[in-house]
Every structure is written in structure tokens, then in C-alpha cells.
Amino acid sequence: MSTALVPIADPVEALPPAQADDDTQMVRLWLARSASPNTRRNYEREARQFMAHVGKPLGSVRMGELQEYIAARPGSSATVALTAAALKSLFAFAQEVGFLRFNIGAAVKVPPIKNTLAERIMAEADALLMIRQEPGLRNRVLLTVLYGGGLRISEVCGLRWRDLAARDSAGQTTVFGKGGKTRAVLLSAATWKVLMALRDNQAAKSTNWSVEAPVFLSRKGGALDPSAVHRVVKAAAARAGLPGEVSAHWLRHAHASHSLDRGAPIHLVQATLGHASVATTGRYLHARPSESSAKFLGV
């Protein structure tokens, strides 16, 4: 009695069904995974530049071509690391959904990034000077919330009055943050006071004001966009005599560093800023150490 042999399927052929028909569709699916508009924008730029450079379908790209492209990428260590991270993510996703057989990005290393955080932390007096010298109410409150609340620029742009609630003599705001996470940020009495002044000013100027209105209105009546916030911050920095590199994120860095300097517990700063890990918040302690063995030497 003979036993018929059942052919065993080649495991290499056991791929999930492809979810995309071409590179363009696959990139669109890949970008749609991210909840962050900033990440989608940066990753799309990196993918488009790479695809234009190689000039052929992703399935035909070889590992050496990917490695050479990243190694030759001009710019800072952070720029090169972004390129590597984006392309590794792209090829990993393409294999995951069955569009590519192999993930050629698996062996590619993301280069280390120089930590320049200490270069982007301003003195407390400079942050306060930016706020106090701002002549316009809206912009002064904007700078106050960026610094006093430690909010990201996207979080500030998305604020609406319904997100704010009074708490005793101060208040709090509910923030829809990075990665689609929501957190509550308790604000100081001084920050709450200027926010209420802005609210009263808006309500007095509008016949149909409602709690659904953006906290920071543009001239056209909608919410301020990130580019407008950047212009406000740059103008405030110039007015205060600060370097042109100062950005909205510098004020968030300043919030973290200055609150830690004043004795705020690191886990509280982590929760306020919405950091996923306390290690991220800890970078501010390393960027501005309070002690050093160098101080014990005679030079």
C-alpha cells in the first residue's frame, strides 16, 4: 500500500495577500497609519525623495542602494536619522501588508543623533521677556500658554474654549496631543487670568461667539495654523533680542527645564508635557545638570 506524498508549501510563498496594487497606493496606506500630521508630512517627503532618486519600483530596490542613499544624505545627524527611520518604516510596512517579499530596511541602522537639547533651552528671564514685550493680547496669551502650559504647537492650534474649565482660582485645559492621546493640563492662576481676558475680548467682539470657537483666532476667524504661530514666536524672540533659531518648541523646552529647576517632580513634568516615558523628560536634567565633578577641581 503506497502513501501519496502531500507536497509541502514553500514557506517563502506563504505571503499575506497584497493590500496595494502599486507603489503610490502602498505609500498612501503606509502614511495613513500615523495619527500625527507632522509625521505624515515628513515621512511622505522622505519617501517621495527616495523614490525619485532610485527611479524604479520599490520591489526592485536593493539593500545596497538603500544603504548608499542614507549614507550620502546631506544634512544634520537628525535629518539623516529621520530619513533612515522613515525608509525603514516604509519597507517594513510594505512587507507586512504583503506588497514586498523582503524587508530590505531591516538591516539598516538608524544613525545616532547628537543631543543638542541644551542649545535650545533659553533662560527663564528671556522666556518671560518674550511674553511681557508682546503688545497684542492674543499673541501675548498664545506665548503664555506655549510656555506656561508646555503645549506643543499643534495642541495650541487645536484648542477650543470648550476644552477649558475653571478650577478654583485657576483652571485646566484638555489637550488632544501626540499619538492621539488626551491629557488634562492644570494651568496657573496667572495663565488662567489672561486666558479669561482673551475669552471676554473675543466674546465682546462677536455676536455669535460660542464655546466651540478656537481659543486662538486667525484674522479670518478660524484657528491659527502652525505657520502663523511660528511667525508670532519669531517676532517675539526678535523683539526680545533672542537668536533667530528660537521657535515655539523652545518655549516647551523652557517649561520643562525651568519647572525642573524650580523643584517640580519629574513625573509631574512628564504628565504635564505628555511624554510617553519619564526617560524623555529626564533629558532636560541631563541637558542642564545642577552639579558636576568639574566644580571640585582647581581650574
Side-chain angles (χ1 to χ4, degrees):
M1 178 177 178
S2 62
T3 303
L5 295 177
V6 179
I8 299 175
D10 185 345
V12 174
E13 297 297 329
L15 294 172
Q19 304 297 314
D21 297 323
D22 53 39
D23 286 355
T24 300
Q25 191 178 49
M26 204 283 304
V27 168
R28 190 181 303 119
L29 290 173
W30 168 62
L31 295 171
R33 298 195 309 171
S34 176
S36 167
N38 189 54
T39 299
R40 288 197 300 270
R41 182 169 57 252
N42 289 336
Y43 274 27
E44 181 176 19
R45 182 188 65 245
E46 294 297 335
R48 299 301 178 198
Q49 289 178 350
F50 175 70
M51 291 165 69
H53 173 82
V54 294
K56 59 183 179 181
L58 291 174
S60 301
V61 178
R62 298 293 177 259
M63 185 186 302
E65 294 174 309
L66 176 59
Q67 291 172 324
E68 289 172 6
Y69 176 80
I70 294 172
R73 187 80 164 91
S76 65
S77 60
T79 298
V80 177
L82 171 63
T83 298
L87 296 179
K88 280 176 67 68
S89 172
L90 171 62
F91 282 101
F93 179 78
Q95 183 194 39
E96 181 183 331
V97 298
F99 184 76
L100 296 179
R101 185 184 302 278
F102 302 110
N103 172 15
I104 63 170
V108 174
K109 302 294 184 183
V110 176
I113 303 174
K114 178 186 176 183
N115 188 349
T116 59
L117 180 59
E119 302 170 15
R120 304 193 303 279
I121 299 177
M122 65 179 74
E124 185 172 350
D126 290 337
L128 296 176
L129 187 62
M130 284 179 62
I131 295 170
R132 290 168 182 164
Q133 288 192 343
E134 173 56 59
L137 176 62
R138 183 204 66 181
N139 293 350
R140 188 164 62 253
V141 178
L142 173 64
L143 295 170
T144 301
V145 173
L146 283 168
Y147 175 60
L151 270 60
R152 299 178 178 91
I153 191 169
S154 59
E155 296 168 348
V156 162
C157 291
L159 278 184
R160 296 186 180 273
W161 290 110
R162 60 176 163 77
D163 299 324
L164 277 66
R167 286 278 305 273
D168 300 322
S169 60
Q172 72 177 46
T173 180
T174 301
V175 178
F176 186 67
K178 187 176 181 181
K181 296 179 180 178
T182 300
R183 71 184 189 280
V185 176
L186 191 64
L187 302 171
S188 70
T191 300
W192 185 253
K193 182 178 180 180
V194 295
L195 271 166
M196 292 302 97
L198 179 63
R199 183 196 63 181
D200 294 343
N201 182 268
Q202 278 190 17
K205 290 182 177 180
S206 175
T207 57
N208 60 347
W209 183 90
S210 77
V211 293
E212 296 299 323
V215 172
F216 299 106
L217 287 170
S218 68
R219 291 180 180 178
K220 295 181 178 179
L224 277 184
D225 62 28
S227 62
V229 176
H230 277 302
R231 288 194 294 271
V232 170
V233 173
K234 294 290 185 184
R239 195 179 297 114
L242 300 177
E245 294 82 11
V246 173
S247 68
H249 213 67
W250 279 47
L251 291 172
R252 179 173 160 86
H253 291 324
H255 173 107
S257 179
H258 299 164
S259 58
L260 288 169
D261 287 347
R262 285 174 168 266
I266 190 170
H267 69 274
L268 181 60
V269 180
Q270 176 197 3
T272 300
L273 269 62
H275 287 156
S277 167
V278 74
T280 303
T281 315
R283 293 169 57 226
Y284 293 96
L285 293 172
H286 297 299
R288 286 165 60 93
S290 58
E291 288 297 338
S292 168
S293 57
K295 295 169 64 176
F296 290 82
L297 303 180
V299 292

